[in-house]
């Protein structure tokens, strides 16, 4: 494994000074050297769980805002959760507003059909609060299939939001027929043949994967393996050897025999870290390089992490603390607790 020593010495010293007091958690998409600095690296579901489980009283979560919010909701009142750039968002979180979701659910109920919202974790806390209020749950790419299945099995109609691609992967995995899945607004909500409605959002990093390009590459490199994140379009996911959360992708890569060439369809920095950590494999980026860097994660530079660590060490961490508005906390927490 490559060393962390490419980081400035101040950040390494700060990190040592705070060890035992502040848990340092990292999402898979941070720079490789920051991931190696962390106590644990995880997908968004693991990070939410870890923030609650870690014994330290404070957590610096190197991830985007929705990840830190889920962690803060689960960590409870006595733990402080910080983010190096608390304003760092996510294109999916921007694809749905709480008021639009509440209106959609209320209109649907007025028309005689109460659909249950299942929100991808990549949403604002205000959206999660609407979901909690309407008896729904939060899900990540690691458990979206199980969460949606649980509601469908109880005879409920589900509105999955806001990642249409992940919603289609879930529908395909569950074996739903074409007429059972519709985009929200595309067909009358009263039509009870429709079991799964999808909110029309997408992640620009993953949506750029083209299934035809993938098929051509498979044909020209029949011995290579292809892995994708389920935020990629369904036709591309169907072409891949496997799909899953960032943790599942990492586990799959690590299970491959030495010498295997593996193309990974997810964010560039994670693929770079896998390639650096596994020189015995030939790990390559599958997404188009020009759009494979998540612009929101790009804000998490070593300098910003060092500033946050410095502030926390000096007792000035408030600017980095992720606090949940008290009016939203209990509803949003209910939805997130159903996820874990
Ligand atoms: P994971 O939950 O699989 O880590 O994915 C989060 C994400 O934002 C992917 O783009
Ligand atoms: Fe959001 Fe896409 Fe970035 Fe993940 S890669 S944080 S879904 S914009």
């Amino acid at each position: 494994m490559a060393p962390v020593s490419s980081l400035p010495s101040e950040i390494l010293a700060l990190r040592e000074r705070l060890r035992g007091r502040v848990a340092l958690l990292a999402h898979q998409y941070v720079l490789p050297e920051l991931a190696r600095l962390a106590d644990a690296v995880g997908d968004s579901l693991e990070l939410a769980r870890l923030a609650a489980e870690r014994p330290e009283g404070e957590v610096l979560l190197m991830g985007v805002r929705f990840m830190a919010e889920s962690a803060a909701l689960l960590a409870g009142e006595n733990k402080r959760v910080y983010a190096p750039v608390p304003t760092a968002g996510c294109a999916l979180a921007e694809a749905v507003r709480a008021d639009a979701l509440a209106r959609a659910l209320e209109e649907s109920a007025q028309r005689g059909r109460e659909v249950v919202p299942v929100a991808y974790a990549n949403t604002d806390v205000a959206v999660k609060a609407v979901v909690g209020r309407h008896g729904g749950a939060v899900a990540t790419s690691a458990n979206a299939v199980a969460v949606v299945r649980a509601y469908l099995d109880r005879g409920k109609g589900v509105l999955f939001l806001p990642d249409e691609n992940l919603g289609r992967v879930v529908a395909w995995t569950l074996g739903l027929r074409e007429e059972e899945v519709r985009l929200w607004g595309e067909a009358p909500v009263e039509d009870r043949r429709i079991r799964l409605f999808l909110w029309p959002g997408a992640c620009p990093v993953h949506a750029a994967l083209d299934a035809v390009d993938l098929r051509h590459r498979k044909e020209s490199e029949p011995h290579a393996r292809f892995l994708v994140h389920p935020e990629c379009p369904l036709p591309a996911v169907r072409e891949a050897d496997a799909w899953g959360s960032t943790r599942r992708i990492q586990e799959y890569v690590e299970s491959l025999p030495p010498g295997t060439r593996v193309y990974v369809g997810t964010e560039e920095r994670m693929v770079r870290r896998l390639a650096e950590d596994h020189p015995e494999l030939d790990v390559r980026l599958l997404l188009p390089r020009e759009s494979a860097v998540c612009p929101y994660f790009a804000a998490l530079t070593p300098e910003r992490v060092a500033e946050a660590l410095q502030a926390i060490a000096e007792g000035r961490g408030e600017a980095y603390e992720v606090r949940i508005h008290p009016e939203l906390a209990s509803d949003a927490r209910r939805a997130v607790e159903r996820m874990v």
Side-chain angles (χ1 to χ4, degrees):
M1 186 183 285
V4 293
S5 54
S6 57
L7 289 170
S9 55
E10 310 83 72
I11 193 170
L12 302 176
L14 279 164
R15 198 267 169 282
E16 285 316 311
R17 190 167 144 201
L18 291 170
R19 201 179 281 283
R21 180 186 139 193
V22 180
L24 190 56
L25 305 181
H27 186 261
Q28 304 263 18
Y29 291 171
V30 298
L31 284 168
E33 54 272 37
L34 290 177
R36 293 183 192 113
L37 192 69
D39 292 303
V41 179
D43 65 20
S44 43
L45 181 61
E46 290 174 308
L47 293 178
R49 287 177 174 153
L50 276 168
E53 287 164 11
R54 294 286 309 190
E56 295 90 342
E58 295 163 274
V59 174
L60 177 62
L61 195 146
M62 295 189 281
V64 292
R65 183 169 179 90
F66 80 81
M67 296 173 181
E69 282 179 346
S70 292
L73 283 166
L74 290 174
E77 310 277 293
N78 297 327
K79 217 175 237 189
R80 291 186 159 187
V81 176
Y82 309 102
V85 185
T87 52
C90 163
L92 284 169
E94 287 169 17
V96 55
R97 285 176 50 103
D99 52 355
L101 174 63
R103 217 171 26 249
L105 293 169
E106 276 149 27
E107 279 170 18
S108 161
Q110 278 161 12
R111 289 162 68 169
R113 185 152 188 216
E114 289 196 12
V115 291
V116 182
V118 174
Y120 196 24
N122 303 39
T123 45
D124 289 341
V125 70
V127 167
K128 293 184 173 82
V130 173
V131 169
R133 238 174 273 140
H134 285 81
V138 174
T140 73
S141 59
N143 64 1
V145 170
V147 173
V148 172
R149 182 195 282 130
Y151 286 112
L152 294 179
D153 283 352
R154 282 188 256 153
K156 310 270 190 200
V158 171
L159 169 57
F160 184 82
L161 62 129
D163 188 11
E164 180 186 338
N165 287 332
L166 176 58
R168 291 200 187 277
V169 173
V170 168
W172 168 63
T173 308
L174 292 175
L176 296 187
R177 294 189 304 276
E178 207 209 313
E179 64 273 20
E180 292 180 312
V181 184
R182 283 287 175 274
L183 275 183
W184 186 253
E186 189 184 61
V189 70
E190 300 87 330
D191 183 346
R192 288 181 186 268
R193 284 172 307 177
I194 306 169
R195 302 175 68 200
L196 180 62
F197 291 93
L198 305 175
W199 197 271
C203 161
V205 174
H206 294 87
L209 183 61
D210 184 77
V212 176
D213 289 350
L214 173 46
R215 187 171 325 129
H216 288 155
R217 189 165 292 187
K218 270 173 66 182
E219 282 162 7
S220 62
E221 299 187 54
H223 299 296
R225 295 298 174 86
F226 295 84
L227 309 178
V228 297
H229 194 276
E231 289 169 13
C232 295
L234 177 61
V237 175
R238 294 179 74 146
E239 291 287 341
D241 293 300
W243 63 270
S245 75
T246 53
R247 161 64 61 201
R248 167 94 187 89
I249 289 174
Q250 179 176 356
E251 284 170 355
Y252 190 103
V253 167
E254 290 174 349
S255 74
L256 292 169
T260 308
R261 175 173 294 176
V262 55
Y263 284 94
V264 182
T266 197
E267 212 273 346
E268 189 272 339
R269 278 164 288 221
M270 174 174 171
V271 181
R272 197 177 346 145
R273 192 180 86 248
L274 287 173
E276 289 172 6
D277 287 353
H278 296 285
E280 78 285 6
L281 298 168
D282 180 3
V283 182
R284 297 184 177 204
L285 180 68
L286 180 59
L287 300 181
R289 190 160 289 279
E290 60 281 7
S291 55
V293 173
C294 171
Y296 303 91
F297 268 91
L300 277 80
T301 59
E303 293 71 29
R304 299 300 293 269
V305 172
E307 282 163 22
L309 287 169
Q310 182 81 49
I312 295 165
E314 292 170 1
R316 304 182 282 107
E318 306 85 55
Y320 298 91
E321 194 172 344
V322 176
R323 290 206 197 90
I324 308 295
H325 197 290
E327 278 178 23
L328 302 174
S330 67
D331 288 329
R333 185 173 298 117
R334 215 174 312 136
V336 173
E337 279 171 354
R338 290 186 192 119
M339 162 179 94
V340 293

